[in-house]
Amino acid sequence: MKAARLHQYGKPFQIDDIPTPEVKGGETLVKVAASYVCSSDIGLVKRERPWAKLPVIPGHNVTGIIDDIGPEVSDFKKGDMVAVYGAWGCGVCRLCRQGDEQLCDPKKWVGFGPDGGYAEYLHVPAQRHLIKIDDLNPYEVAPLLDAGLTAYRAIKQSLPLLYPGAAISILGVGNIGYYAVQIAKLLSPQAKVIAVDVLQERLGLAAKLGSDYQILTDSSAAEDIRGISGVGGVQVIIDTVGSNATLAMAAQTAGKRSSIAVVGLSGGSIPKLPGECSVASSIWGTLSEMKELLRLYSDGKIKCDIKRFPIDSINEVFQLMATKQIQEQAVITP
Ligand SMILES: [Zn+2]
Ligand SMILES: [Zn+2]
């Protein structure tokens, strides 16, 4: 099969022809339809997550058709259209048992240790990682598995703070922010949704997706956000960037007893915070949350905006992503 493999950190992918994996026991083989390109894969290439034994096939957000099953697979059959839940855990620790497999060992995540989905086929070791998606659009589902799910979990966990009239700000309208704006409005329609970004065009997009206010990051941004939220400040802040600049903005605009969910991985440090403001690093999402989000998508409540690329252009896609030249969500379609 054709696969994009990373042989050396910091170097381009090589397109290799390697043996197609075989299945036994409870394993399945998925013929990949789409693999969403996540910014954490850019971090992987840059050696920010040097866990995988090289060469490795990255790609942790995969949809496709089941091509082969082992004899112990009972819940799926050849030809089923599936999404692969990518946060593979050990399956037996306390966190995995309570459904928080994304909080188990990230070295086990598909594409970070085991080979991932930038290939024609993906080997899936256990059927518990699969979700049937039937006639949903597999290209649009791929980014929901990551950017969508990350936004969904962060907002769902913050819902108790979003009373009618409360304010929620989304810092950064990149891929996670694209979904966060929609999900905030859907799950908490009575709250004021404030989109914040450094790019005017992204704020235009946020307005189309349902944000009530759009704030360009400039010297008066914090004051503008305070003006919208009122003296109490913002109750929920979803920081999709996580840099020193966005965390400073979060601290300046957060109200007392508010929550800042940091989902961006830029490594900024937490400044002094208002009273009882809590900071949580929300990580990805559970398989149940994935199903809930897919329900919203299949009901037509969530929009996606994808751009498809063949596997041979993977290096070009990474270059475009790194220089922020793709506004859509990029998916590789082997
Ligand atoms: Zn990711
Ligand atoms: Zn575990």
Side-chain angles (χ1 to χ4, degrees):
M1 68 173 183
K2 209 188 231 190
R5 295 202 295 178
L6 184 69
H7 287 256
Q8 234 183 313
Y9 289 110
K11 294 277 191 271
F13 286 95
Q14 286 180 29
I15 306 297
D16 295 328
D17 193 14
I18 58 170
T20 303
E22 287 175 9
V23 293
K24 56 181 183 346
E27 302 164 355
T28 54
L29 186 70
V30 173
K31 187 170 192 333
V32 177
S35 257
Y36 164 65
V37 183
C38 170
S39 57
S40 56
D41 285 334
I42 295 173
L44 173 77
V45 173
K46 284 200 269 181
R47 206 178 190 156
E48 285 162 15
R49 291 175 185 78
W51 305 319
K53 267 202 209 124
L54 301 184
V56 69
I57 308 170
H60 51 284
N61 305 290
V62 177
T63 57
I65 294 172
I66 294 189
D67 188 79
D68 201 4
I69 56 171
E72 289 161 26
V73 173
S74 52
D75 298 341
F76 296 86
K77 58 182 191 318
K78 284 186 204 178
D80 281 347
M81 181 66 85
V82 292
V84 181
Y85 173 72
W88 299 353
C90 70
V92 294
C93 74
R94 183 168 176 273
L95 289 163
C96 284
R97 292 282 195 208
Q98 69 188 25
D100 280 316
E101 211 158 327
Q102 82 286 0
L103 299 179
C104 189
D105 182 359
K107 299 182 193 74
K108 291 188 164 59
W109 292 354
V110 61
F112 290 95
D115 276 332
Y118 298 147
E120 285 178 290
Y121 293 89
L122 174 70
H123 177 265
V124 182
Q127 59 180 350
R128 74 171 192 280
H129 303 312
L130 300 173
I131 304 170
K132 276 185 197 146
I133 58 169
D134 299 326
D135 51 1
L136 297 184
N137 179 327
Y139 308 105
E140 292 197 346
V141 168
L144 290 172
L145 300 173
D146 191 315
L149 180 55
T150 301
Y152 181 76
R153 178 179 177 81
I155 292 168
K156 191 181 167 186
Q157 292 194 331
S158 311
L159 283 181
L161 294 171
L162 291 174
Y163 54 84
I168 170 171
S169 64
I170 314 293
L171 306 186
V173 191
N175 284 353
I176 296 175
Y178 177 93
Y179 292 106
V181 167
Q182 298 182 69
I183 292 164
K185 205 64 218 171
L186 257 178
L187 298 190
S188 185
Q190 301 301 320
K192 302 170 191 164
V193 178
I194 308 169
V196 184
D197 202 285
V198 291
L199 297 175
Q200 195 67 57
E201 67 206 65
R202 284 191 175 173
L203 293 175
L205 177 64
K208 282 191 202 138
L209 294 170
S211 61
D212 300 302
Y213 303 90
Q214 298 78 36
I215 300 292
L216 190 66
T217 311
D218 57 19
S219 55
S220 69
E223 202 182 317
D224 296 343
I225 294 169
R226 278 270 178 188
I228 295 162
S229 67
V231 285
V234 180
Q235 277 70 43
V236 174
I237 295 165
I238 309 293
D239 185 349
T240 73
V241 184
S243 66
N244 283 331
T246 54
L247 285 165
M249 168 78 77
Q252 283 164 31
T253 53
K256 289 186 180 162
R257 192 168 277 188
S258 61
S259 153
I260 302 171
V262 184
V263 295
L265 301 170
S266 299
S269 45
I270 314 275
K272 189 170 182 302
L273 298 169
E276 297 202 3
C277 168
S278 62
V279 178
S281 64
S282 186
I283 295 177
W284 212 345
T286 66
L287 189 135
S288 300
E289 288 162 345
M290 187 65 247
K291 287 183 175 169
E292 292 163 23
L293 180 63
L294 287 177
R295 178 57 190 261
L296 291 174
Y297 169 73
S298 71
D299 285 351
K301 301 260 174 28
I302 304 256
K303 281 198 204 88
C304 303
D305 185 20
I306 55 148
K307 192 164 185 178
R308 294 164 59 164
F309 295 90
I311 196 166
D312 298 291
S313 56
I314 190 163
N315 288 311
E316 183 197 327
V317 177
F318 271 62
Q319 192 56 38
L320 292 171
M321 295 262 301
T323 51
K324 302 202 188 319
Q325 290 182 72
I326 306 181
Q327 213 184 46
E328 302 91 345
Q329 296 116 43
V331 293
I332 301 287
T333 56

